[in-house]
């Protein structure tokens, strides 16, 4: 069994971004990311802190806008409009979820598609689905990097994605299609889920259910990618895959933590560095 090391691969990507940003600086071009956080959700604060740290590491300038929980939607939209128009800002990220009074869709739609480093804007989603260049959502794009950099063949392989959310499952399936896999998407109404998963050469779990995928879902030698993150009692992390049960059946597998998790921020940095090339 090959353990897919997301920690090492994400570090490699951050180092590549760091080099690229330094070269751009030498040519007088600076990359800057604006991060907007509304309210004081502790998990969101941790995510934003990690994004700032990754910016520092890679040399990307970060501007942070930390707004009180009762900030109006108009105020957030006005800030996005200002950032859309600033030439010295290449990427805009609004940390989700947002407080109740703010419509997430209105906020995502307001971000210029040319600065949409999270890849959630409908234009970015459309570009992905018709195969045009555009920002890719970070988590599924990170999975593609894990697969490619681990030397796992995708062309002609059967890939089963469990989950059809807009941020993981759907874009994941589109990206695997782009890599010439034959893709099946499963969800909560899928019949014969186990049998379908068992026919996968590459099984991607983005189902949001701790340790749901055990060895009875996995074909001998399959590559198993676990997107799930759950914090168990006692603070231990686990994924959607029962790692200990599956590891002896799988040909390759991502652990949790240290698999898909660290890739998301690395891909955000990559998106920021590539924004100048748009
Ligand atoms: P969602 O809850 O939005 O989507 C879950 C999907 O799984 C839905 O499409 C749902 O189907 C499907 N599903 C739920 N139960 C079953 C079941 N019993 N059998 C088959 N399908 C089922 O989750 P996300 O896509 O946002 O996230 C998925 C996981 O990935 C979560 O654990 C999340 O924490 C993690 N995550 C990790 C990230 C990272 O950086 N590593 C980033 C983002 C998410 P239906 O559509 O029919 O309801």
């Amino acid at each position: 069994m090959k353990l897919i090391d997301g920690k090492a691969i994400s570090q490699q990507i951050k180092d590549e971004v760091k080099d690229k940003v330094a070269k751009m600086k030498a040519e007088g071009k600076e990359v800057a990311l604006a991060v907007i956080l509304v309210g004081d959700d502790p998990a969101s604060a941790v995510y934003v802190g990690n994004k700032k740290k990754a910016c520092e590491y890679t040399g990307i300038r970060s501007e942070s806008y930390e707004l009180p929980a009762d900030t109006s939607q108009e105020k957030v939209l006005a800030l996005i409009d200002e950032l859309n128009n600033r030439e010295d800002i290449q990427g805009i990220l609004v940390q989700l979820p947002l407080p109740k009074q703010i419509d997430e869709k209105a906020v995502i739609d307001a971000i210029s598609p040319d600065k949409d480093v999270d890849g959630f804007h409908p234009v970015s989603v459309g570009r992905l689905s018709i195969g045009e260049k555009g920002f890719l959502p970070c988590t599924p794009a990170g999975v593609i990097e894990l697969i490619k950099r681990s030397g796992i063949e995708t062309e002609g392989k059967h890939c089963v994605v469990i989950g059809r959310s807009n941020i993981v499952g759907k874009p994941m399936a589109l990206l695997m299609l782009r890599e010439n896999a034959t893709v099946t998407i499963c969800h909560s109404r899928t019949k014969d889920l186990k049998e379908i998963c068992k026919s996968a050469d590459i099984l991607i779990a983005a189902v949001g259910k701790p340790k749901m995928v055990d060895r009875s879902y996995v074909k001998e030698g399959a590559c198993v990618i676990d997107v799930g993150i759950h914090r168990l009692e006692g603070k231990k992390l686990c994924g959607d895959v029962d790692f200990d049960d599956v590891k002896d059946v799988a040909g390759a597998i991502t652990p949790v933590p240290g698999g898909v998790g660290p890739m998301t921020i690395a891909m955000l940095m990559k998106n920021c560095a590539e924004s100048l090339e748009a």
Side-chain angles (χ1 to χ4, degrees):
M1 183 269 295
K2 179 187 172 75
L3 189 68
I4 300 177
D5 187 347
K7 230 174 140 182
I9 295 175
S10 65
Q11 186 61 44
Q12 211 176 52
I13 292 172
K14 281 191 283 183
D15 285 334
E16 288 164 16
V17 171
K18 189 176 178 176
D19 283 351
K20 190 166 183 174
V21 170
K23 279 195 192 108
M24 285 176 172
K25 266 196 188 141
E27 293 165 14
K29 290 189 254 175
E30 192 188 49
V31 188
L33 170 68
V35 181
I36 303 173
L37 172 64
V38 189
D40 40 26
D41 176 58
S44 293
V46 171
Y47 294 142
V48 165
N50 289 340
K51 287 168 189 174
K52 279 194 225 165
K53 253 189 252 162
C55 281
E56 268 166 42
Y57 182 80
T58 51
I60 293 171
R61 184 171 67 80
S62 72
E63 269 186 26
S64 135
Y65 296 87
E66 283 160 32
L67 310 174
D70 62 355
T71 305
S72 68
Q73 179 167 315
E74 289 63 41
K75 212 161 174 185
V76 177
L77 294 180
L79 173 59
I80 292 174
D81 187 48
E82 181 194 316
L83 295 166
N84 279 341
N85 288 309
R86 271 180 51 192
E87 276 178 19
D88 62 334
I89 294 288
Q90 282 71 42
I92 303 171
L93 182 147
V94 180
Q95 185 63 46
L96 302 177
L98 289 165
K100 283 191 297 295
Q101 76 277 12
I102 304 175
D103 175 11
E104 262 175 32
K105 182 171 160 38
V107 167
I108 291 170
D109 287 0
I111 297 171
S112 161
D114 296 332
K115 300 190 178 186
D116 175 37
V117 284
D118 254 343
F120 295 158
H121 192 283
V123 169
S124 303
V125 178
R127 283 176 177 159
L128 167 60
S129 77
I130 60 173
E132 272 181 13
K133 197 172 158 25
F135 288 113
L136 301 178
C138 301
T139 302
V143 170
I144 296 292
E145 290 290 335
L146 283 180
I147 289 175
K148 282 190 169 168
R149 292 177 190 235
S150 304
I152 289 154
E153 189 63 55
T154 52
E155 188 163 324
K157 301 290 178 193
H158 184 207
C159 173
V160 174
V161 180
I162 322 176
R164 57 172 166 180
S165 72
N166 288 335
I167 59 164
V168 189
K170 269 187 222 157
M172 192 66 253
L174 285 168
L175 284 169
M176 287 305 287
L177 197 58
R178 201 163 83 169
E179 298 301 328
N180 296 318
T182 302
V183 181
T184 304
I185 308 175
C186 299
H187 47 78
S188 66
R189 316 287 169 87
T190 297
K191 294 203 173 89
D192 304 325
L193 179 69
K194 268 190 194 179
E195 286 66 34
I196 296 169
C197 292
K198 239 188 147 132
S199 72
D201 302 305
I202 300 170
L203 178 61
I204 304 178
V207 61
K209 300 267 186 291
K211 298 192 184 181
M212 188 185 104
V213 176
D214 62 19
R215 61 165 65 205
S216 65
Y217 289 74
V218 181
K219 178 166 83 178
E220 180 92 41
C223 168
V224 180
I225 305 283
D226 189 354
V227 183
I229 307 181
H230 311 276
R231 198 170 285 281
L232 299 171
E233 278 172 48
K235 300 253 165 174
K236 216 175 159 233
L237 290 179
C238 82
D240 292 343
V241 175
D242 185 342
F243 182 86
D244 290 330
D245 193 51
V246 169
K247 68 179 193 313
D248 300 325
V249 183
I253 186 167
T254 59
V256 176
V260 176
M263 295 301 291
T264 302
I265 286 187
M267 296 309 288
L268 173 68
M269 297 299 109
K270 193 164 189 275
N271 275 352
C272 291
E274 282 169 5
S275 62
L276 271 188
E277 293 168 353

